[in-house]
Amino acid sequence: MIEAGLGQAITVNARIVPEDADINEGTFTMECMRADGLVEILTPSKAEGNQCSISFKGIATGNFLLHAQAEFGEGVEVSKSLNVSIKQSVTDIEVAEETTLWIHRNGQTFDFPITVLPETATVKDLNFTYEPIGDSEFGETSPIEIYLGDEGYMLTAMYKADVKVTATSVDNPAVSKTFNVYIKRQVEGIVFETDGETSNINMYNDGQEYNVYVRILPADADFVEEEFKLFGQYNEDN
């Protein structure tokens, strides 16, 4: 199998085995078979002794056969074919430099926009590596997993963390992109407590003092501390 990039010029050489075999003059040739619209022949098949070469350039993605043949003796033919694949290589990866996702449970899955360019690339698969950012800590498994779904890339968030991600093209490892993903925990609720126990607050005596505590659920939820305030409101009906 030969793999060539779209627009890439390729020269393929073939030789007779053994090298001192006697072949009929002018019968050693090479040709691209089932290659209409896929290749442009740069140098036609040319034989010198027991070696032959051909040069071509891929002009469209697809597969074809490169066929070599020669004759010896009374028209006895020897031949061999090779599969050739013309591919469109990946040239770039487009993704947001920073993304923040809010989860209310571990294992939540999100659509995650990543564009592999060009759109006609033959192999769009990416490999991903994950590293913690700053003081963020990873458990036994990665906090996120990015993978290619049926309609695009998906991200599964296993737990909250700040993650530096590097995406690398499987087809062309020279193409990669680094970006940050921040997994935050949603606030699910607020609990009032008096003297350490959750309860209603009933005031029977004027001047009675209560220690009132408020906490966020779950305990690891992310919120803006400056906006976490406690307000009181007088209810005449009670």
Side-chain angles (χ1 to χ4, degrees):
M1 165 72 80
I2 295 176
E3 292 185 347
L6 192 63
Q8 180 183 358
I10 296 289
T11 298
V12 181
N13 298 302
R15 58 187 176 85
I16 296 294
V17 178
E19 294 184 0
D20 61 349
D22 296 300
I23 60 173
N24 298 340
E25 186 176 352
T27 64
F28 194 8
T29 61
M30 299 175 68
E31 63 175 323
C32 298
M33 303 178 65
R34 300 198 295 271
D36 291 347
L38 295 180
V39 297
E40 174 187 346
I41 302 300
L42 302 177
T43 304
S45 172
K46 181 180 180 181
E48 292 185 2
N50 282 10
Q51 295 194 38
C52 187
S53 64
I54 188 172
S55 297
F56 57 85
K57 177 176 69 175
I59 58 175
T61 58
N63 302 309
F64 65 93
L65 289 177
L66 182 60
H67 185 73
Q69 65 179 32
E71 293 182 2
F72 64 94
E74 297 294 328
V76 180
E77 182 180 288
V78 60
S79 65
K80 189 167 187 177
S81 295
L82 187 65
N83 290 314
V84 181
S85 178
I86 304 298
K87 305 190 307 178
Q88 172 64 70
S89 294
V90 171
T91 59
D92 198 9
I93 300 168
E94 287 187 350
V95 61
E97 291 185 6
E98 294 188 347
T99 300
T100 299
L101 299 172
W102 293 84
I103 62 173
H104 59 82
R105 59 176 174 80
N106 293 345
Q108 230 174 308
T109 297
F110 304 85
D111 292 328
F112 195 77
I114 299 179
T115 302
V116 178
L117 297 175
E119 293 184 358
T120 55
T122 306
V123 179
K124 294 187 176 183
D125 297 76
L126 301 174
N127 285 328
F128 296 93
T129 58
Y130 312 104
E131 301 176 48
I133 298 174
D135 296 332
S136 186
E137 295 183 357
F138 286 9
E140 294 182 358
T141 60
S142 173
I144 65 173
E145 180 185 4
I146 303 175
Y147 56 94
L148 183 60
D150 293 336
E151 297 182 2
Y153 278 92
M154 311 290 292
L155 182 149
T156 297
M158 303 309 299
Y159 53 89
K160 60 177 289 185
D162 299 336
V163 187
K164 181 172 79 171
V165 184
T166 300
T168 304
S169 167
V170 172
D171 169 66
N172 183 6
V175 176
S176 66
K177 189 65 64 75
T178 298
F179 53 95
N180 296 334
V181 177
Y182 303 98
I183 305 299
K184 304 294 185 182
R185 179 78 68 185
Q186 292 180 358
V187 174
E188 304 259 339
I190 297 176
V191 174
F192 283 90
E193 294 181 346
T194 57
D195 297 324
E197 295 184 2
T198 303
S199 66
N200 293 323
I201 302 173
N202 298 309
M203 298 185 65
Y204 299 104
N205 301 314
D206 291 343
Q208 186 175 355
E209 294 185 0
Y210 287 86
N211 292 320
V212 180
Y213 305 92
V214 181
R215 59 186 175 89
I216 293 291
L217 294 178
D220 64 344
D222 295 286
F223 60 93
V224 179
E225 293 187 11
E226 291 78 6
E227 296 181 1
F228 187 22
K229 300 177 181 179
L230 180 63
F231 296 90
Q233 182 175 349
Y234 177 67
N235 189 336
E236 293 184 354
D237 295 335
N238 295 316

